[in-house]
Amino acid sequence: DLLDPDPRIAIYNANVGDTSAIAAAAAAGFVVRAWDANDEAAWDEGVGAGAHHLGTNAVNLHRDPWTITHDAEGWPFTCREPCVSVRPEPGAIVGMSVDSGDIWSTADEFRFAYVDRTAAPDGEWSALVSTVNSWVEPFAKGCLMARAGLGPGAPYFAVCRPADEEPLRVQIRETAGASTQAIEDDVVPSSTVSPTSVAWVRLVLSDDGLCATGLGAWQRGQWVAIGSHCFTTPLTHQGLAASSHDSGPVKLLFVDPRRDGSTIDSGALTSVSVGVASGQTFDGPFP
């Protein structure tokens, strides 16, 4: 009974089309969830009725921009009256938008934000890679990469998070123009969390840049090795890589990116297209 609610109940759940019940529940002090908001008209109906949470299958803002709840600083929720001041989401972010082919086969097409470490190639990189995860080409990907140059067919080692449906992976091209090999790893034990939700990646270079190891983790610091390889040519060009796998523009975020333990931003990186690719690199969640 909305007029005499049970004090143990805080959340009221209703179909998004039941606007009178949503409005009454919100007025009675419930937190209201409205489900089945799967098109723009239904979404607007739920918002107009006063629902706090909208259940929808449309969770890719690039495909369905009417579902956006974040503000310009990346704060994830729309503020309701009375509104309090909120700060941007904490933590450094380097974002990359890309429209390209793939990082694969004998030649790559991607955007690369890198540092030339020819003088001192050993070290490590780490970041959480945030991907779209719905209505996206599954093998679009964000990677930490080290390669022997900027040519599309250069030898390289990368540890990557695919955009959807696939676990973390290491990719290796042993020699110039050779085919690419992949090693996938769930990283987490079975029956814990979905391997496709694991987002932390780490790249370690050693032996004067000749050897590389790729690791992944559910939480930073709990690293699990995915694969390693030693090359005959040092991997001097190191940084963040993104590709869209021929699916049109995709945005990927590298959260809390670190090089040798220190946080980096886009100003510390040189951004280029390798092969046929376009895009940009920026600080924060939006260009």
Side-chain angles (χ1 to χ4, degrees):
D1 186 342
L2 292 177
L3 298 178
D4 186 22
D6 187 317
R8 296 171 299 174
I9 299 173
I11 298 175
Y12 186 86
N13 196 34
N15 184 281
V16 72
D18 196 353
T19 54
S20 59
I22 291 171
F30 287 94
V31 174
V32 184
R33 177 184 180 271
W35 49 274
D36 209 19
N38 291 321
D39 59 54
E40 187 171 5
W43 177 278
D44 291 343
E45 197 171 35
V47 171
H52 301 87
H53 301 285
L54 291 164
T56 180
N57 295 326
V59 292
N60 183 333
L61 67 88
H62 305 289
R63 182 176 185 270
D64 299 302
W66 46 268
T67 61
I68 289 173
T69 61
H70 60 256
D71 66 16
E73 299 290 344
W75 185 259
F77 306 114
T78 297
C79 189
R80 297 173 64 95
E81 297 295 340
C83 193
V84 296
S85 176
V86 296
R87 294 180 298 174
E89 286 286 80
I93 297 173
V94 174
M96 298 182 74
S97 61
V98 60
D99 187 356
S100 73
D102 196 15
I103 304 170
W104 190 248
S105 189
T106 60
D108 306 317
E109 297 181 1
F110 68 105
R111 286 289 294 179
F112 194 26
Y114 74 97
V115 175
D116 185 340
R117 304 192 73 178
T118 301
D122 287 355
E124 66 171 312
W125 298 73
S126 64
L128 181 150
V129 181
S130 177
T131 62
V132 177
N133 288 126
S134 67
W135 302 103
V136 65
E137 161 57 46
F139 279 110
K141 59 179 75 82
C143 310
L144 300 180
M145 173 183 284
R147 58 194 294 124
L150 298 178
Y156 79 88
F157 185 101
V159 54
C160 306
R161 185 186 183 193
D164 195 19
E165 299 179 1
E166 302 293 335
L168 299 184
R169 55 172 31 211
V170 158
Q171 294 190 185
I172 302 165
R173 180 181 296 122
E174 292 187 271
T175 57
S179 296
T180 302
Q181 308 166 44
I183 305 168
E184 293 187 338
D185 196 316
D186 289 350
V187 174
V188 291
S190 60
S191 302
T192 53
V193 299
S194 169
T196 61
S197 68
V198 178
W200 284 102
V201 290
R202 183 183 177 206
L203 172 63
V204 179
L205 284 303
S206 61
D207 297 275
D208 294 324
L210 294 174
C211 295
T213 298
L215 308 96
W218 169 241
Q219 293 181 318
R220 171 175 254 154
Q222 299 179 0
W223 300 111
V224 175
I226 300 172
S228 299
H229 190 77
C230 290
F231 296 76
T232 57
T233 304
L235 306 180
T236 55
H237 291 60
Q238 305 170 13
L240 318 179
S243 65
S244 68
H245 201 277
D246 296 307
S247 60
V250 171
K251 183 177 74 172
L252 300 117
L253 303 180
F254 296 83
V255 181
D256 197 14
R258 300 183 191 178
R259 183 186 67 202
D260 298 337
S262 298
T263 301
I264 58 170
D265 59 23
S266 65
L269 305 168
T270 300
S271 294
V272 297
S273 291
V274 176
V276 180
S278 61
Q280 59 182 314
T281 304
F282 48 89
D283 290 315
F286 308 108

